[in-house]
């Protein structure tokens, strides 16, 4: 498929901004609605005394003593303070309304509180002075913090412009404002101006010079709307409708994002589709003698360093081999065993015949040549070919199927993905093999892994339980008694992608037989979903030796905020996830680690228009 055929869904930050702005406006309207009720009710005058008294002292100089019930006063005070903080954040316009209403409430209580005033003028003045100083300091501190927040926040004006658009949308939908055509025309004009000024800006520095003027003009127009429509109940109702509509849109966008990401991950770019076709054509034009690799006598030499790579991606396989040889101290001692499918066999061989990896040895095998790997021997192969599995992937209407789209990836249908459980059968004369996924890049010499003492274990791997979702209960169904009785849900998971396997211990402990047993028990996918990591965790339970984390760093295929130093220190980096470096959706800041091991001047890459 064309690289430009699939593009990832954009960030949904505007919806999140709408949520925040909408909730603030709802609370603001509710607050002023409550204030109007308080103004009408004389029974609440004693509750607000403690709060209004402080404002009255600072503004009028009255010396009123709190005499109301403490518990009742504190409850009211806390409620009002919470609303006051919300109002202050909405701007000076709300502050003015608050100052106009609260002195009125204070005047209603002044007559009844006059007999409670302090008789000692000296102490009263001192108390008032102290209170006034405290209020002034608190007010000064609040203003200072507010100014500090505004200077620190790089998107304060952007947020305010978005908030104005939300408020404008409310006024455009209210009945009272719709009946005023002059105001509607003016508001729509302001909306267009603000939208044009805002554009795609995420920081104030990205706004045009006239953005502040547009913001000021919009604020004046919104003030007119407030005069026209003063019914808070109608505004709240409209805001709730907008909030509900936005939440529904966000759900739809999230589903679209997941679908498009999975679709892009499963789609082969046009260049990578062209490459094997071009290489296959070239391979079959060679003489039989030219189709053979040199140094085939090294394929079973246990004194050398052997790598297992199972892939149908030619370019990805080339990066793994090139990066490993580039950092190897003795390249002539490294042997790469590549297994691919029938469709890519000729192309894979042609690539490495035309681009030999220095002094290293290459072997390319065809999966179809493994006659021992059939449905009668391999339970997983039998399951992959079953009608139920085919229906699970290809039936148009899946009423009872799993909603998680990642399990629809065709890689789960490929037996290449499961060859890692048959290493002794594929390499019967080798003692140790280093398994590498095709979405990895080697950054250091790996020969030290062959000298690691596995202490009787079969698998050497890097653990991934630094994060809670990489434990066993993330991958296995512990509601099933077969799982809950045999495994610990909090056990630490480990990573496939770079694993050193002791094939001698593998044979002694009959690891392949253990794998077959559990695969048969999971014929209905009740123990785990598809993939190789869940059965790997089960098969190598208590048979895995943790390696130092610097050997293998994961996350470059889904995490855009990884630590740069951690990546550079790693011996192997792994692009696990959907955002592979050879796809358009790959994370740009990580792509160069992979691309630098591709020689784009190669004739086949130029012919297929594969560029950096």
């Amino acid at each position: 498929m064309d690289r430009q055929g699939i593009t990832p869904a954009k960030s949904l930050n505007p919806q999140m901004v709408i949520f925040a702005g909408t909730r603030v406006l709802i609370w603001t309207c509710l607050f002023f609605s409550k204030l109007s009720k308080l103004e009408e009710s004389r029974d609440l005058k004693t509750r607000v005394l403690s709060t209004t008294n402080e404002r009255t002292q600072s503004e009028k100089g009255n010396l009123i003593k709190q005499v109301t019930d403490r518990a009742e006063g504190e409850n009211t005070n806390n409620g009002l303070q919470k609303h006051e903080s919300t109002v202050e954040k909405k701007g000076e316009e709300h502050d003015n309304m608050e100052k106009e209403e609260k002195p009125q409430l204070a005047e209603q209580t002044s007559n009844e509180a006059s007999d409670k005033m302090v008789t000692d003028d000296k102490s009263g003045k001192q108390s008032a002075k102290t209170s006034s100083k405290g209020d002034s300091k608190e007010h000064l501190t609040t203003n200072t913090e507010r100014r500090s927040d505004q200077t620190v926040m790089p998107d304060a004006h952007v947020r305010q412009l978005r908030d104005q658009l939300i408020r404008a949308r409310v006024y455009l939908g209210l009945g009272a404002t719709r009946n005023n055509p002059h105001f509607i025309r003016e508001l729509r004009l302001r909306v267009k101006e603000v939208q044009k000024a805002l554009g795609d800006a995420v920081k104030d520095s990205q706004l045009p010079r006239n953005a502040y003027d547009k913001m000021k003009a919009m604020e004046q127009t919104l003030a007119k709307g407030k005069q026209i429509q003063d019914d808070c109940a109608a505004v709240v109702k409209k805001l709730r409708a907008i909030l509900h509509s936005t939440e529904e849109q966000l759900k739809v966008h999230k589903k679209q994002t997941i679908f498009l990401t999975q679709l892009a991950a499963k789609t082969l770019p046009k260049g990578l589709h062209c490459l094997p076709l071009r290489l296959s054509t070239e391979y079959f034009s060679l003489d039989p003698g030219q189709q053979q690799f040199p140094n085939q006598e090294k394929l079973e030499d246990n004194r050398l360093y052997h790598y297992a790579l199972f892939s149908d991606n030619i370019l990805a396989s080339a990066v793994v081999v090139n990066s490993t040889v580039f950092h190897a101290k003795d390249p002539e001692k490294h042997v790469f065993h590549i297994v691919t499918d029938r469709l890519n066999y000729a192309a894979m061989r042609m690539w490495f015949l035309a681009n030999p990896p220095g002094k290293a040895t290459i072997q390319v095998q065809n999966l179809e040549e493994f006659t021992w790997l059939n449905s009668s021997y391999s339970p997983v192969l039998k399951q992959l070919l079953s009608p139920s599995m085919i229906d699970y992937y290809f039936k148009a209407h899946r009423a009872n199927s799993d909603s998680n789209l990642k399990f629809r990836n065709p890689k789960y249908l490929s037996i290449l993905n499961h060859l890692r459980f048959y290493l002794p059968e594929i390499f019967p004369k080798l003692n140790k093999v280093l398994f590498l996924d095709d979405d990895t890049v080697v950054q250091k010499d790996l020969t030290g892994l062959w000298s690691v003492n596995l202490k009787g274990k079969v698998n050497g791997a890097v653990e991934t339980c630094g994060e809670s979702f990489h434990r066993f209960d993330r991958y296995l169904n512990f509601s099933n008694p077969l799982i809950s009785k045999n495994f610990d849900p909090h056990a630490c998971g480990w990573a496939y992608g770079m694993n050193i396997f002791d094939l001698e211990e593998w044979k002694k402990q009959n690891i392949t037989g253990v794998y077959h047993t559990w695969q048969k028990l999971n014929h209905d996918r009740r123990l785990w979903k598809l993939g190789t990591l869940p059965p790997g965790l089960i098969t190598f339970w208590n048979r895995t030796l943790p390696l130092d984390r610097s050997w293998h760093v994961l996350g470059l295929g889904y995490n855009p905020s990884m630590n740069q130093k951690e990546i550079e220190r790693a011996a192997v980096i792994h692009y696990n996830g959907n955002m592979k470096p050879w796809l358009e959706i790959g994370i740009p800041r990580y792509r160069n680690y992979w691309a630098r091991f591709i020689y784009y001047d190669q004739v086949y890459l130029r012919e297929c228009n594969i560029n950096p």
Side-chain angles (χ1 to χ4, degrees):
M1 180 176 179
D2 195 341
R3 289 188 177 185
Q4 299 179 354
I6 298 296
T7 57
K10 292 185 177 179
S11 174
L12 302 176
N13 288 337
Q15 280 79 9
M16 307 306 294
V17 172
I18 290 176
F19 289 164
T22 303
R23 287 194 171 94
V24 169
L25 289 174
I26 290 175
W27 279 107
T28 303
C29 289
L30 289 174
F31 167 65
F32 285 112
S33 179
K34 289 182 179 180
L35 278 183
S36 62
K37 294 180 180 179
L38 287 172
E39 190 174 350
E40 297 174 358
S41 176
R42 292 180 178 271
D43 294 336
L44 297 177
K45 58 189 176 183
T46 56
R47 296 186 187 178
V48 299
L49 181 58
S50 61
T51 303
T52 59
N53 190 32
E54 293 178 359
R55 291 291 182 93
T56 305
Q57 286 178 350
S58 62
E59 295 174 7
K60 293 185 176 183
N62 294 332
L63 303 176
I64 300 176
K65 185 178 180 180
Q66 294 183 355
V67 294
T68 55
D69 181 75
R70 184 178 184 84
E72 185 175 359
E74 287 179 351
N75 291 336
T76 305
N77 188 31
N78 291 337
L80 289 174
Q81 285 179 351
K82 184 182 293 185
H83 289 301
E84 287 171 8
S85 63
T86 306
V87 175
E88 288 178 356
K89 291 180 182 178
K90 293 305 294 180
E92 294 180 0
E93 180 182 350
H94 293 170
D95 288 339
N96 294 333
M97 294 182 63
E98 184 182 3
K99 290 178 181 179
E100 291 174 4
E101 292 175 344
K102 289 195 173 182
Q104 295 176 2
L105 295 173
E107 290 176 1
Q108 294 176 3
T109 61
S110 61
N111 293 331
E112 294 183 10
S114 60
D115 59 330
K116 302 292 185 177
M117 293 180 62
V118 180
T119 57
D120 189 349
D121 293 341
K122 185 175 182 179
S123 61
K125 291 179 180 179
Q126 185 176 0
S127 176
K129 186 175 181 180
T130 304
S131 176
S132 178
K133 288 182 178 180
D135 291 344
S136 299
K137 290 181 179 179
E138 182 178 356
H139 184 68
L140 180 60
T141 303
T142 303
N143 289 339
T144 303
E145 290 177 353
R146 190 185 306 171
R147 293 193 198 99
S148 177
D149 290 342
Q150 290 177 352
T151 56
V152 170
M153 291 179 59
D155 60 345
H157 288 164
V158 172
R159 289 172 178 264
Q160 189 171 352
L161 288 170
R162 288 173 177 170
D163 181 69
Q164 286 182 336
L165 291 176
I166 297 171
R167 292 159 61 192
R169 183 180 173 188
V170 173
Y171 284 126
L172 287 172
L174 295 176
T177 53
R178 283 203 306 266
N179 294 331
N180 191 326
H182 177 73
F183 171 75
I184 291 297
R185 282 195 300 269
E186 180 182 351
L187 184 59
R188 286 176 176 169
L189 177 62
R190 298 288 179 248
V191 168
K192 290 181 180 179
E193 291 176 349
V194 170
Q195 288 176 338
K196 183 178 180 180
L198 185 60
D200 296 327
V202 294
K203 296 181 180 179
D204 292 348
S205 59
Q206 298 173 343
L207 293 173
R209 294 182 178 180
N210 65 344
Y212 180 77
D213 296 334
K214 303 300 182 185
M215 180 170 31
K216 187 176 180 180
M218 171 64 93
E219 196 64 39
Q220 294 173 352
T221 303
L222 292 174
K224 295 178 183 178
K226 187 174 182 180
Q227 295 175 355
I228 298 172
Q229 173 60 268
D230 58 355
D231 185 3
C232 271
V235 175
V236 170
K237 184 177 180 181
K238 184 63 178 178
L239 286 171
R240 291 188 187 278
I242 292 176
L243 179 61
H244 177 74
S245 174
T246 305
E247 288 176 342
E248 293 300 318
Q249 291 178 18
L250 180 60
K251 291 179 182 178
V252 172
H253 286 311
K254 283 184 175 180
K255 290 182 180 180
Q256 290 178 347
T257 300
I258 294 173
F259 174 77
L260 292 175
T261 302
Q262 295 295 333
L263 182 61
K266 294 186 292 185
T267 304
L268 188 68
K270 184 165 63 176
L272 294 185
H273 179 71
C274 162
L275 184 61
L277 296 177
R278 180 69 184 86
L279 289 169
S280 296
T281 302
E282 191 73 17
Y283 179 78
F284 289 115
S285 66
L286 298 178
D287 295 332
Q290 297 176 313
Q291 296 177 350
Q292 304 303 316
F293 290 103
N295 303 322
Q296 294 299 290
E297 68 279 0
K298 295 182 177 181
L299 298 180
E300 297 177 350
D301 189 346
N302 281 299
R303 295 172 298 178
L304 305 179
Y305 307 109
H306 295 267
Y307 300 83
L309 177 61
F310 309 136
S311 175
D312 58 359
N313 189 323
I314 297 168
L315 213 55
S317 301
V319 169
V320 175
V321 173
N322 291 341
S323 62
T324 305
V325 173
F326 180 83
H327 293 97
K329 294 179 179 178
D330 299 306
E332 67 277 3
K333 295 183 178 180
H334 294 257
V335 182
F336 295 89
H337 305 268
I338 301 173
V339 180
T340 189
D341 56 15
R342 179 177 55 186
L343 292 176
N344 294 281
Y345 174 69
M348 189 75 76
R349 291 182 68 89
M350 186 64 216
W351 175 267
F352 286 104
L353 285 170
N355 303 277
K359 298 179 180 180
T361 301
I362 289 287
Q363 179 190 29
V364 178
Q365 295 178 275
N366 186 355
L367 175 64
E368 305 296 329
E369 297 176 357
F370 299 156
T371 55
W372 50 267
L373 187 61
N374 50 62
S375 57
S376 60
Y377 174 69
S378 172
V380 68
L381 185 59
K382 183 177 181 179
Q383 293 167 13
L384 292 175
L385 298 176
S386 66
S388 62
M389 187 69 70
I390 295 174
D391 177 76
Y392 181 79
Y393 276 97
F394 300 108
K395 191 174 180 180
H397 303 286
R398 306 183 180 96
N400 299 321
S401 62
D402 196 302
S403 59
N404 195 336
L405 290 175
K406 76 176 184 178
F407 296 117
R408 310 269 176 218
N409 197 311
K411 73 177 183 179
Y412 295 118
L413 278 177
S414 174
I415 191 62
L416 280 173
N417 203 39
H418 296 267
L419 285 182
R420 64 194 69 188
F421 294 103
Y422 297 100
L423 292 176
E425 286 82 356
I426 300 173
F427 312 113
K429 296 184 178 181
L430 297 182
N431 297 331
K432 273 190 177 182
V433 167
L434 181 64
F435 170 79
L436 292 173
D437 266 339
D438 64 358
D439 55 353
T440 59
V441 176
V442 177
Q443 299 189 128
K444 293 183 180 180
D445 180 64
L446 300 180
T447 55
L449 288 169
W450 274 264
S451 60
V452 172
N453 183 7
L454 294 180
K455 302 177 182 179
K457 307 291 186 180
V458 179
N459 174 26
V462 171
E463 292 185 333
T464 56
C465 59
E467 303 175 23
S468 60
F469 58 85
H470 281 155
R471 298 188 182 274
F472 271 44
D473 57 355
R474 172 71 178 179
Y475 305 101
L476 305 177
N477 179 19
F478 276 87
S479 64
N480 190 296
L482 282 174
I483 297 296
S484 58
K485 290 179 180 179
N486 291 281
F487 306 101
D488 178 8
H490 303 295
C492 188
W494 45 267
Y496 262 131
M498 190 222 68
N499 308 78
I500 184 71
F501 288 106
D502 187 336
L503 301 187
E504 292 296 310
E505 285 293 332
W506 185 306
K507 297 172 187 176
K508 291 179 183 178
Q509 301 182 32
N510 191 24
I511 297 300
T512 303
V514 174
Y515 167 68
H516 283 173
T517 299
W518 283 101
Q519 276 291 351
K520 291 177 182 177
L521 294 173
N522 192 48
H523 64 91
D524 54 359
R525 300 189 303 278
R526 297 291 179 87
L527 304 184
W528 69 85
K529 298 298 181 183
L530 299 177
T532 56
L533 183 56
L537 296 176
I538 290 177
T539 302
F540 295 102
W541 169 250
N542 291 331
R543 300 180 178 93
T544 299
L545 178 75
L547 299 177
D548 187 270
R549 290 180 182 273
S550 63
W551 280 112
H552 186 191
V553 170
L554 300 97
L556 280 76
Y558 68 88
N559 184 3
S561 57
M562 292 188 62
N563 186 292
Q564 194 77 14
K565 292 183 179 179
E566 186 179 359
I567 295 175
E568 294 173 356
R569 287 196 303 262
V572 175
I573 56 176
H574 195 168
Y575 292 84
N576 58 312
N578 287 322
M579 300 178 184
K580 304 298 185 186
W582 55 83
L583 298 176
E584 289 293 327
I585 61 174
I587 301 175
R589 65 178 291 227
Y590 304 144
R591 186 172 284 129
N592 187 56
Y593 293 109
W594 185 85
R596 62 186 176 185
F597 292 105
I598 298 177
Y599 309 117
Y600 289 99
D601 291 335
Q602 216 276 345
V603 59
Y604 302 115
L605 299 186
R606 292 201 308 269
E607 290 176 353
C608 291
N609 197 27
I610 298 177
N611 302 306

